[in-house]
Amino acid sequence: MATGVVVDDEVATAFNGFKLQAAGFKLRYYTYVIENKQIIKIEKSGERSKTYEDFCSDLPENGCRYGLIDLEFTTDDGRPTSKLVFITWNPDTAPIRDKMLYSGSKESIKSALNGVGIHINATDFAELDFESSILPVVKKFA
């Protein structure tokens, strides 16, 4: 569903530095917001020392967002690894127009974040629980 929302050039530029952990982009995560129902921009970024819990706390309780996080975890065979994970935060409590706008604009930002293979949709904080919801999905790609 095309919504006419475009992705700010800064999103792709920052992503290319982020995935390589280049100087100036050694971060843990980004959150993205649709401004004025027209453009997807970086809203927040988390320093490398931040955690998954910090990422979740940066998501508004009643507002939609997109997020990209570099998740570090241990595989089932004991290897430490990390994966880039794209999360669509579309809570049940958000206004219906916002939910429709974020759902319809998701492909735009996904195409700007070329190379992220793990996409997760969450509609409440229970679906963001690391141990029960996120980790099992991420481990399938490890």
Side-chain angles (χ1 to χ4, degrees), residues 53-72:
E53 288 73 27
D54 295 322
F55 168 76
C56 291
S57 68
D58 273 348
L59 298 173
E61 187 175 342
N62 299 312
C64 302
R65 292 294 185 275
Y66 302 115
L68 179 68
I69 184 165
D70 185 3
L71 272 183
E72 294 178 341

Side-chain angles (χ1 to χ4, degrees), residues 11-32:
V11 170
T13 302
F15 172 69
N16 288 326
F18 178 68
K19 70 181 176 182
L20 299 173
Q21 289 294 295
F25 296 100
K26 293 185 186 293
L27 301 168
R28 174 68 57 206
Y29 63 83
Y30 286 103
T31 61
Y32 307 96

Side-chain angles (χ1 to χ4, degrees), residues 113-130:
L113 305 177
N114 192 13
V116 178
I118 305 172
H119 303 144
I120 297 174
N121 297 316
T123 59
D124 63 36
F125 283 108
E127 292 178 353
L128 287 176
D129 183 77
F130 186 73

